[in-house]
Amino acid sequence: MTAPETGRGIAAVRDPFRILHVSTGNVCRSPITERLTRHALADRLGDPFTGGLIVESAGTWGHEGAPMETNAETVLADFGADASGFMGRELLDDHVIRADLVLTATRDHRAQVISMGHSAGLRTFTLKEFTRLVRAIDPATLPDPDGEGVVERARALVRAAAALRGWLLAPSVEADEVYDPYGAPLPFFRSVGDEINEALDPVVTALTGVRAKA
């Protein structure tokens, strides 16, 4: 599909911005986060690729080629998000090298990504950590998505968040964690889905400059 000749469309063709979500098995948390991010981008931009944002996921102990958990699919259906065609991936060096922003489920995942090297420290955050930092950034200081494009705005957002990291600490150790629902009943999966969706909303708004539709 050819992107439209707009600031956002040109970004999609020339220089994509890759978001990588990381959890353990890549069958529960990171698939939910990946597909909810895509769904939110489509809601704001009309097409998740129009802004040049590519969303992927992998697991530090990823089940290569595995489908996501059935309860994870149910959670995505609750939000109207698409679960089709998903296959689990083991986190590889190339995934980290290509990612412009890595969002992890826990601090341990963050540490594992950073330990892989590839100068990943300044672009790797837990999801909730990144949400906290994004809330503190004045959107007026970021590039206009209709002018410079969503990709340039996303890159500036990551730089601004990295600069704030040492100044805006988590109120508790648990504040930056999304706990693993693997093997848990559906109600716990749904609570994790709500938690992820709540954390993603300000992130996607900051990335795109567009609020969720009422």
Side-chain angles (χ1 to χ4, degrees), residues 11-86:
V13 173
R14 289 202 298 224
D15 192 13
F17 181 94
R18 292 181 179 272
I19 302 170
L20 177 68
H21 293 296
V22 175
S23 63
T24 303
N26 195 215
V27 293
C28 297
R29 288 168 292 180
S30 50
I32 290 172
T33 316
E34 172 196 312
R35 295 306 175 93
L36 286 181
T37 304
R38 291 186 185 183
H39 183 66
L41 289 172
D43 176 67
R44 288 160 171 78
L45 301 178
D47 181 327
F49 302 107
T50 300
L53 306 182
I54 297 174
V55 186
E56 303 169 311
S57 65
T60 55
W61 290 89
H63 303 298
E64 192 73 29
M68 74 175 77
E69 286 287 293
T70 300
N71 283 346
E73 292 184 348
T74 301
V75 167
L76 291 173
D78 290 343
F79 287 100
D82 182 13
S84 66
F86 180 84

Side-chain angles (χ1 to χ4, degrees), residues 25-203:
N26 195 215
V27 293
C28 297
R29 288 168 292 180
S30 50
I32 290 172
T33 316
E34 172 196 312
R35 295 306 175 93
L36 286 181
T37 304
R38 291 186 185 183
H39 183 66
L41 289 172
D43 176 67
R44 288 160 171 78
L45 301 178
D47 181 327
F49 302 107
T50 300
L53 306 182
I54 297 174
V55 186
E56 303 169 311
S57 65
T60 55
W61 290 89
H63 303 298
E64 192 73 29
M68 74 175 77
E69 286 287 293
T70 300
N71 283 346
E73 292 184 348
T74 301
V75 167
L76 291 173
D78 290 343
F79 287 100
D82 182 13
S84 66
F86 180 84
M87 290 192 298
R89 302 193 304 173
E90 181 180 357
L91 181 66
L92 303 176
D93 288 87
D94 187 57
H95 300 148
V96 177
I97 290 167
R98 299 201 313 167
D100 297 287
L101 171 62
V102 184
L103 297 176
T104 70
T106 69
R107 293 175 302 122
D108 184 58
H109 296 132
R110 181 185 64 194
Q112 289 181 67
V113 171
I114 293 172
S115 73
M116 294 172 72
H118 314 301
S119 303
L122 293 178
R123 50 194 167 89
T124 303
F125 310 80
T126 73
L127 171 62
K128 288 186 174 181
E129 174 192 22
F130 195 65
T131 300
R132 183 175 67 254
L133 297 171
V134 161
R135 289 184 186 276
I137 296 168
D138 182 356
T141 64
L142 299 173
D144 181 356
D146 288 317
E148 297 179 63
V150 173
V151 166
E152 288 308 310
R153 183 183 178 91
R155 296 193 196 286
L157 183 68
V158 173
R159 290 194 298 269
L164 279 176
R165 187 175 357 221
W167 300 93
L168 196 61
L169 302 178
S172 68
V173 171
E174 295 78 16
D176 283 344
E177 305 284 293
V178 176
Y179 292 106
D180 193 355
Y182 184 77
L186 181 57
F188 187 67
F189 266 84
R190 283 186 162 136
S191 70
V192 168
D194 289 340
E195 191 177 350
I196 290 171
N197 190 63
E198 182 179 349
L200 279 175
D201 180 70
V203 170

